[in-house]
Amino acid sequence: MATFTTACPLDCPDTCSLSVDVDDQGRLADVDAAPGNPLTQGYICHKVKHHARRVYAPERVRTPLVRVGPKGEERFREATWDEALDLVADRLQEAMGGDGGPAGVLPYVYNSSAGAVASAALTPLLFARLGVPEVAHTICAATAGQAWDDTFGDMLSADPLDVSHAGLVVVWGANPTVSNTHLLPLITEAKRNGARLVVIDPRRTGVAHRADLHLAVRPGTDVALAYALARLLRERGAVDRAFCDDHASGVEEYLTAAEEWSLRRAAEVCGVAAEDIDELATMIATVRPGFLRLGWGPERNRNGGSSCRAILGLWVLAGQFGRRGSGVMASLSGTAPLSTAGLVAGVRPPPAGCVNMNRVGAILCGEEPGASPARVLFVQGANPAATAPDQLTMLRGLAREDLFTVVHDQVVTDTARYADVVLPATTHFEADDVAASYGSFVLQRVTAVIDRVGESRTNDEVAAGLAVRLGLDPSEFDPDPRILLDRMSTDGAVAPLRVLREPGATVQFVDTLPTFADGRARLVATDSELPLPRYRALDSGYPLTLISPATAKTINSMFAEFDPPRAVLSIHPDDAEPRGLVDGATIRVWNDQATLELPCRLDVTMRPGVCAMPKGLWLRSLPGGVTANGLAPATVSDLAGGACFNDARVDVAMAPESEAVT
Ligand SMILES: Nc1nc2c(c(=O)[nH]1)N[C@H]1C(S)=C(S)[C@@H](COP(=O)(O)OP(=O)(O)OC[C@H]3O[C@@H](n4cnc5c(=O)[nH]c(N)nc54)[C@H](O)[C@@H]3O)O[C@H]1N2
Ligand SMILES: Nc1nc2c(c(=O)[nH]1)N[C@H]1C(S)=C(S)[C@@H](COP(=O)(O)OP(=O)(O)OC[C@H]3O[C@@H](n4cnc5c(=O)[nH]c(N)nc54)[C@H](O)[C@@H]3O)O[C@H]1N2
Ligand SMILES: [Mo]
């Protein structure tokens, strides 16, 4: 047995340092936390602790596979890499030479759980060189990220390690208990030091349970809440005029827009008690320093951009910056000294344009005005059959007999079942890379610690194999991670673990400033598609809102193949009772897009009017083969075309022939 240190690049803010035991056959034996990481030392999550189960799972792809049965039936034969890559290269060439030109190919490439090299290096370069459309990464964080950019430019996030210095901690639409677990002990420490804790979330989450104040807002109404709080600050003379005079623009326009939001109106629209809004305004006005953790809950609906912008603007009005323990923590990405500028030098924007990832299902079905349905779909580091909105449209697209689908993944996902060619991918235990965290100022080496499973190849090796076959310059496509890292590193120094910024050294408006010419935060962004936050009504013919947040069991859809969260609909007893729903009974949940049957769980932590299903379920977790994503709309938010997973409207009833299942 030998022990190695590496890092976890999965799509989670924490980016844990890992200590890995490898047996004398070169196989992964055990995974645990490694010391030395200021955020993650001490423990790791249950999923990655047992990651070996996924690395050697029966679903693991070991060789290239070529489809021999009908689409979706998962009947494949093994193939050599040469045969598979020749076939894929031929089909790419054919599709690009067809009527649609380069638009005949859609690269659905996401790789948010891969290291920085695997996600940013040669695959994007390959498709950029081919000039095919770019599929923009809008299914997560596009809206919140644009809201940040509009308000602060490239100003850095606050450092989570500073939260223990806060007097007030506001967790707004984030669920650190499951999706950022190492933030939780830091919040607990802040509480121990006397901090007040406020949580704004439609559910009484683990962290909400421990809060001094929990505002269970209706999803999609945060903009109203933020405006009402801003108006209260103004009425009480609690806008920090000195801070705003020095550091903000657009203050008067923002406050004028907020005038519409009386306490009474906001309480009604958000579905929370006026006294609670009032109490929060008092805390924001009087308790300093105040630390805001903005999560990704508020962005995933039609008002997502407005909500994120209004929340950030509120923190500026309150002047909650300038001291350790103040400021806003959002994504910490962008700090790492990595850049693809050198890699893509000379690459022009795709002549075939850019498409929205949320609309790919509709595009494949020929239902997107102005977009030609692709002939080749290349999926890498993503599982759209399980994770995209409007699942039935996506599945209809994937089932098209005339669509040639390539899936490069570690396991035979729901999407891979529809593939014509499946290519085996390495896991992060099998290849060198780096992991840049979006939840701490830490950059780490990811090391190949075990032998490759089967014939798996890295993303860069696949891109290189296709590039030579498509006549591109092989010198540009050397997949050696050391060479790629050299090309991407802006300062040459990738140590096993590098703390990029020491705790206390990232005080916003002191150490890091908005990056606009005047150095000010913008409450109005005239060059944005959304100059000022505004509320759009949430009218619908369906009475309930369905949200589908993260659970501790999966990272998106990863791990759900063998240890899924329970496929149940959580609903408040007040919504269940008039519908005659009993705990554990099979219920039907439906809207215009889909109908699902599954057990219901009566759950007092839900707010009435809102029900929930877990994110990341595989299709086989439900008898009908449709998950929450079947009910989620493929409409887009009001900023940056972001996903609206939490904007589903549904109704629920007992299933016609339901029996109690628990
Ligand atoms: N264990 C685990 N960790 C993960 C992930 C995972 O799948 N599993 N996913 C990773 C990824 S990809 C991401 S993007 C992050 C997401 O990290 P988070 O943002 O923390 O996670 P979510 O569960 O999407 O949403 C957070 C909370 O927002 C609430 N919410 C929903 N709609 C609204 C709303 O309109 N307003 C407000 N105020 N709250 C709302 C939900 O009830 C939920 O509790 O987590 C990462 N970490
Ligand atoms: N209902 C609902 N759906 C959601 C959300 C929601 O809140 N509700 N949230 C959304 C969010 S936050 C996100 S980020 C998206 C994620 O959407 P996806 O990215 O489609 O989902 P993942 O399950 O993360 O899929 C990643 C796949 O990449 C594979 N993989 C990992 N590393 C590598 C690698 O190095 N190379 C290759 N080739 N493959 C690799 C994994 O095995 C896995 O199958 O889902 C979204 N879907
Ligand atoms: Mo995400």
Side-chain angles (χ1 to χ4, degrees), residues 223-370:
V223 53
L225 177 60
Y227 267 155
L229 290 163
R231 181 175 143 167
L232 286 172
L233 293 187
R234 187 195 55 73
E235 285 169 3
R236 294 174 186 175
V239 170
D240 188 335
R241 295 288 174 182
F243 178 83
C244 289
D245 286 349
D246 289 347
H247 294 297
S249 66
V251 170
E252 291 315 316
E253 292 95 320
Y254 181 108
L255 285 172
T256 303
E259 277 307 293
E260 271 186 52
W261 291 97
S262 66
L263 185 53
R264 238 181 69 200
R265 181 173 173 220
E268 203 174 293
V269 166
C270 303
V272 297
E275 307 84 78
D276 290 348
I277 302 179
D278 196 273
E279 190 184 344
L280 177 54
T282 305
M283 285 193 212
I284 293 174
T286 58
V287 187
R288 287 170 188 268
F291 187 98
L292 169 66
R293 178 7 165 199
L294 176 58
W296 290 272
E299 74 162 6
R300 293 180 187 162
N301 60 74
R302 72 196 76 175
N303 291 320
S306 290
S307 288
C308 295
R309 284 269 300 281
I311 294 165
L312 298 175
L314 171 68
W315 224 243
V316 172
L317 289 178
Q320 286 280 18
F321 294 97
R323 283 168 61 183
R324 200 169 176 190
S326 71
V328 191
M329 176 192 171
S331 169
L332 282 79
S333 69
T335 335
L338 297 171
S339 164
T340 53
L343 274 170
V344 298
V347 175
R348 281 191 301 274
C354 192
V355 310
N356 187 320
M357 200 165 250
N358 294 299
R359 305 298 309 167
V360 167
I363 293 171
L364 294 177
C365 290
E367 292 164 7
E368 186 73 346

Side-chain angles (χ1 to χ4, degrees), residues 401-653:
E401 274 300 331
D402 63 334
L403 178 71
F404 185 82
T405 298
V406 185
V407 173
H408 182 215
D409 204 305
Q410 300 158 347
V411 295
V412 181
T413 59
D414 284 328
T415 311
R417 293 171 67 101
Y418 287 87
D420 294 274
V421 171
V422 184
L423 302 172
T426 46
T427 68
H428 61 267
F429 299 104
E430 294 156 61
D432 292 335
D433 208 315
V434 291
S437 179
Y438 67 93
S440 70
F441 291 121
V442 173
L443 178 68
Q444 297 170 84
R445 248 186 214 292
V446 176
T447 310
V449 292
I450 57 168
D451 295 340
R452 290 205 180 181
V453 173
E455 297 171 16
S456 58
R457 290 193 184 173
T458 67
N459 294 355
D460 297 302
E461 289 162 358
V462 170
L466 291 172
V468 278
R469 285 171 173 80
L470 293 164
L472 296 168
D473 176 2
S475 70
E476 217 191 13
F477 284 91
D478 188 326
D480 182 336
R482 278 167 308 184
I483 293 173
L484 292 172
L485 201 50
D486 267 355
R487 289 168 74 189
M488 286 173 64
S489 168
T490 55
D491 67 3
V494 179
L497 184 146
R498 241 176 102 187
V499 174
L500 299 166
R501 303 185 67 90
E502 291 296 332
T506 315
V507 176
Q508 290 167 327
F509 290 89
V510 175
D511 304 306
T512 179
L513 292 163
T515 53
F516 306 112
D518 61 4
R520 290 166 180 270
R522 306 192 308 182
L523 274 54
V524 177
T526 43
D527 57 356
S528 170
E529 66 182 294
L530 183 70
L532 252 182
R534 70 190 155 81
Y535 173 75
R536 287 196 278 177
L538 300 168
D539 310 329
S540 163
Y542 290 93
L544 300 169
T545 302
L546 174 74
I547 61 174
S548 43
T551 72
K553 292 276 193 176
T554 74
I555 291 292
N556 298 321
S557 71
M558 289 178 75
F559 305 96
E561 64 269 37
F562 57 80
D563 191 17
R566 284 195 63 203
V568 295
L569 180 94
S570 301
I571 186 167
H572 193 276
D574 289 356
D575 292 319
E577 198 250 338
R579 293 175 170 83
L581 313 183
V582 290
D583 193 50
T586 301
I587 52 104
R588 173 171 285 188
V589 47
W590 76 92
N591 62 19
D592 293 348
Q593 285 180 197
T595 301
L596 278 59
E597 287 191 6
L598 74 168
C600 79
R601 177 195 282 155
L602 303 201
D603 185 346
V604 294
T605 69
M606 297 302 305
R607 69 155 286 137
V610 180
C611 51
M613 281 179 66
K615 130 171 139 171
L617 288 175
W618 284 37
L619 304 182
R620 65 189 186 218
S621 289
L622 283 120
V626 183
T627 71
N629 291 54
L631 298 159
T635 49
V636 299
S637 75
D638 55 350
L639 183 62
C644 288
F645 292 112
N646 292 332
D647 220 344
R649 294 295 181 284
V650 298
D651 205 347
V652 182

Side-chain angles (χ1 to χ4, degrees), residues 112-150:
S112 65
S113 276
V117 175
S119 63
L122 296 186
T123 312
L125 180 64
L126 170 72
F127 289 110
R129 284 278 180 236
L130 296 178
V132 307
E134 183 189 336
V135 179
H137 290 181
T138 49
I139 53 169
C140 172
T143 299
Q146 189 60 50
W148 182 279
D149 294 350
D150 284 352

